[in-house]
Amino acid sequence: MLQALRGALAAFRRTPVLVVISILAVSLSLFVFGLFALTAFNIRGALSEIEERVEIVAYLSDDATAEEAGRAEVEIRDHTQVLDVRYVSKTEALAIAGRELPEFREVFSGLDANPLPASYEIRLRPGYRTPEVVEAVTAQVIAYPFVEEADYGRDWVARLVSLQRIAAGATVIIGGAFAAVAGIIIATAVRIAVAARREEIEIMRLVGATDGFIRRPFLIEGWLTGLIGGLIAAFLTYLAHRFVSATLMEINWLPAEWLMLAVLAGSAYGLLTSAFAVRRHLRGL
Amino acid sequence: MIKLTGVSKVYPRTGYALRNVNLHVPKGSFVFLTGHSGAGKSTILRLIQMAELPTEGELRVSGTSSARLRRSDVPKLRRKMGMAFQDFRLLKDRTAEENVAFALEVTGARRSLIRQRAARLLGKVGLAARGQAFPEELSGGEKQRVAIARALANEPFILLADEPTGNLDERASRGILDLFREINANGMTVVMATHDLELVRRHPSYRVVELSAGEVVFDSAGTVREEAG
Ligand SMILES: Nc1ncnc2c1ncn2[C@@H]1O[C@H](COP(=O)(O)OP(=O)(O)OP(=O)(O)O)[C@@H](O)[C@H]1O
Ligand SMILES: [Mg+2]
């Protein structure tokens, strides 16, 4: 192991330009992938923030008793799809309207009776904010005799869902394409690095090196290339994030687990491609 | 030691490179393999290295049979044979000493021993002073000496040389042959392929095996018929 590590270091000493170029190629291709991940992550974040606002509003008739309304609230809250139910009384509704629509404050205060109905504001659990579930819950709520009307932004929810689908599809396709390009670049870099030492491999075999002995320094080198390239790419992506946040708009940084996973995947991939690249040179006796 | 029994080698595109070769090389002998270009000299040496397997027949090298060869046997066997080639096959980016040390590193020898051993081997081939030179700073003859020092690194029982003097002038060739003679005198088997008949003639005491179109057509040890029959 120690000897293999020394071998990898010796390779760096002998062909520093090649090693630096392959690490650069790996970092840059992973950096492009990182930029994409940053974009995708923020679009997803923005969409799920919008999704939080998916809400069903059920308006109660004025003759609903407090007891009926209380019981219904408990029942609705019991649905597995429902995150929470907020009861907004007539008085509260008026207060909110007065606060949010100052133009009408005069009109409202001039009335003797409160024209606004009491309502439930029902929010759904994540994962259930789809047109189908919203529709179903709305239907159940409207079934109460004292519920006059239930409403949600039908078109809006549908559009949000299709937007999310497009984003998810684009993430998979574009992300997959970027990952494939990065993968090919890394594999090529590793292959060139191995091919540059073809002669060395041949002579190693000539003097009786075992396959494992020949392979080891290359595996370590591939692993290190992936690891160092991944760390550099993560750092570059972070700089890009800082830059965009400072100049264009505030964006979120990627979760630490994503980064760790990506760097780990990069180093594992480097190791794997090395194994494949060396295998070509170990064919035959 | 080395024994070829009914060995043929067929290449898919070029056909028979060797045809029914029977050859026994006892321990400690010195054998010249001669023959025209394409006769099959290199092919025999590659088979002895077990770099390739015979299409027919069997090869035994130091107790290892080509018929029951496992991949893991090959490195062990290679450490027991030293090899030298016309094109030296030295690593350009390493010094003479590092090239010799290379053969010791792959066996997992202790690092403290390797340097010392490499220096001693270079001394043995008459290059004690050139250990820090890179191959391009050495003459052809010197390069071949480095290659021979490397071949001897793991104390092999046999030295296989494929036209080791092919790129050398007369004087350098003679020097290499003197070195081989010395190595052989110390008990090591030497098999050397060459088409330099002048050089062969100068060493009449050594066995000569001549190949032609893949067949043994002459053996100064007179064992051709014996082994075939
Ligand atoms: N890898 C190979 N694939 C196909 N044919 C080969 C291969 N190696 C050798 N041969 C063929 O086998 C025959 C013997 O070749 P070999 O190299 O053993 O000759 P040689 O006696 O060493 O010749 P030279 O003196 O030119 O080195 C030749 O006809 C050659 O074309
Ligand atoms: Mg040849």
Side-chain angles (χ1 to χ4, degrees):
Chain A
M1 186 66 197
L2 202 73
Q3 192 168 25
L5 199 66
R6 215 179 289 129
L9 278 177
F12 176 73
R13 205 156 34 79
R14 291 212 169 78
T15 52
V17 176
L18 195 62
V19 174
V20 167
I21 285 176
S22 75
I23 288 179
L24 271 184
V26 171
S27 339
L28 288 181
S29 58
L30 287 177
F31 173 48
V32 171
F33 185 71
L35 285 183
F36 167 75
L38 193 62
T39 312
F41 178 69
N42 276 281
I43 288 177
R44 208 180 78 158
L47 286 175
S48 73
E49 234 168 73
I50 295 171
E51 197 198 78
E52 298 259 298
R53 287 189 226 141
V54 170
E55 192 177 64
I56 302 161
V57 182
Y59 299 101
L60 310 189
S61 70
D62 284 352
D63 45 290
T65 65
E67 193 203 336
E68 275 178 326
R71 202 169 343 108
E73 190 185 328
V74 172
E75 278 175 19
I76 295 167
R77 187 171 285 129
D78 268 357
H79 286 298
T80 47
Q81 301 102 321
V82 173
L83 179 68
D84 80 49
V85 181
R86 198 162 82 88
Y87 176 72
V88 180
S89 70
K90 285 175 71 72
T91 334
E92 278 175 278
L94 193 64
I96 293 168
R99 204 165 48 240
E100 291 186 354
L101 307 166
E103 307 88 320
F104 292 102
R105 203 174 289 155
E106 300 281 291
V107 183
F108 288 138
S109 56
L111 296 169
D112 336 331
N114 179 354
L116 296 178
S119 62
Y120 295 133
E121 288 175 8
I122 304 164
R123 293 198 305 141
L124 298 174
R125 287 184 193 282
Y128 290 115
R129 293 160 184 161
T130 61
E132 295 76 27
V133 176
V134 174
E135 191 97 44
V137 173
T138 306
Q140 283 174 354
V141 172
I142 212 152
Y144 288 106
F146 51 85
V147 171
E148 282 194 326
E149 204 190 324
D151 197 14
Y152 65 94
R154 190 182 313 262
D155 296 344
W156 183 74
V157 171
R159 211 170 310 140
L160 175 65
V161 166
S162 74
L163 211 59
Q164 282 175 323
R165 287 218 183 100
I166 291 169
T171 303
V172 170
I173 293 168
I174 302 176
F178 277 153
V181 169
I184 290 167
I185 289 174
I186 294 172
T188 308
V190 166
R191 239 166 107 146
I192 290 171
V194 173
R197 287 160 65 196
R198 205 190 60 221
E199 213 184 358
E200 194 179 326
I201 294 177
E202 269 165 27
I203 294 171
M204 279 176 133
R205 302 183 75 193
L206 193 75
V207 296
T210 59
D211 291 350
F213 182 91
I214 297 171
R215 211 180 284 127
R216 238 171 284 139
F218 287 105
L219 295 190
I220 290 182
E221 216 181 301
W223 177 73
L224 276 177
T225 304
L227 185 72
I228 296 171
L231 289 174
I232 292 176
F235 179 66
L236 291 178
T237 310
Y238 181 71
L239 289 185
H241 156 254
R242 289 293 298 268
F243 178 73
V244 171
S245 286
T247 56
L248 290 173
M249 56 179 167
E250 194 65 41
I251 54 171
N252 290 316
W253 179 230
L254 297 168
E257 309 88 75
W258 281 31
L259 285 170
M260 257 169 349
L261 208 73
V263 171
L264 274 183
S267 52
Y269 182 75
L271 188 124
L272 212 74
T273 49
S274 287
F276 269 103
V278 178
R279 214 173 63 152
R280 294 162 43 83
H281 298 282
L282 292 180
R283 280 199 208 119
L285 288 172
Chain B
M1 179 62 20
I2 296 175
K3 196 168 173 144
L4 284 77
T5 317
V7 166
S8 296
K9 179 72 192 175
V10 180
Y11 288 112
R13 287 157 52 81
T14 51
Y16 277 91
L18 292 176
R19 198 188 291 267
N20 190 30
V21 172
N22 294 288
L23 184 68
H24 180 214
V25 180
K27 191 171 159 61
S29 52
F30 195 122
V31 181
F32 281 122
L33 275 181
T34 65
H36 294 295
S37 184
K41 306 180 292 292
S42 298
T43 304
I44 285 200
L45 291 179
R46 276 202 306 276
L47 288 175
I48 296 173
Q49 293 161 34
M50 305 252 176
E52 288 174 61
L53 292 175
T55 314
E56 291 157 37
E58 190 197 5
L59 227 112
R60 295 188 134 271
V61 181
S62 172
T64 305
S65 161
S66 64
R68 286 182 299 280
L69 186 75
R70 282 171 306 164
R71 194 179 170 82
S72 59
D73 295 336
V74 177
K76 286 178 217 148
L77 193 64
R78 297 257 167 90
R79 291 176 199 180
K80 292 196 268 174
M81 14 190 185
M83 284 171 248
F85 301 89
Q86 181 172 0
D87 55 0
F88 320 124
R89 303 202 187 170
L90 297 175
L91 290 167
K92 289 185 280 298
D93 54 3
R94 282 168 216 242
T95 63
E97 194 176 291
E98 285 169 342
N99 265 287
V100 177
F102 195 63
L104 294 162
E105 281 162 15
V106 307
T107 65
R110 289 233 315 280
R111 265 169 64 85
S112 55
L113 286 179
I114 289 179
R115 264 191 79 91
Q116 203 183 323
R117 232 358 226 292
R120 211 184 60 219
L121 284 157
L122 282 174
K124 208 163 158 181
V125 297
L127 286 179
R130 307 301 313 272
Q132 300 315 312
F134 285 93
E136 62 178 13
E137 299 166 339
L138 297 169
S139 74
E142 287 169 331
K143 276 187 256 205
Q144 193 60 284
R145 283 169 189 275
V146 174
I148 291 164
R150 180 181 67 193
L152 300 178
N154 289 310
E155 293 172 348
F157 66 85
I158 183 171
L159 183 66
L160 302 173
D162 195 352
E163 318 240 13
T165 60
N167 281 337
L168 306 182
D169 69 10
E170 151 100 50
R171 224 170 81 100
S173 301
R174 218 176 306 140
I176 296 297
L177 253 292
D178 287 345
L179 188 56
F180 280 4
R181 185 160 49 191
E182 193 185 314
I183 290 165
N184 179 244
N186 288 329
M188 198 179 298
T189 313
V190 177
V191 178
M192 170 174 162
T194 181
H195 46 216
D196 185 348
L197 293 179
E198 188 54 42
L199 192 136
V200 172
R201 233 169 271 135
R202 234 183 292 120
H203 297 85
S205 60
Y206 294 151
R207 179 174 168 195
V208 178
V209 174
E210 191 186 339
L211 292 166
S212 177
E215 290 184 89
V216 177
V217 291
F218 172 78
D219 188 341
S220 63
T223 52
V224 183
R225 303 215 156 274
E226 212 176 289
E227 299 225 351

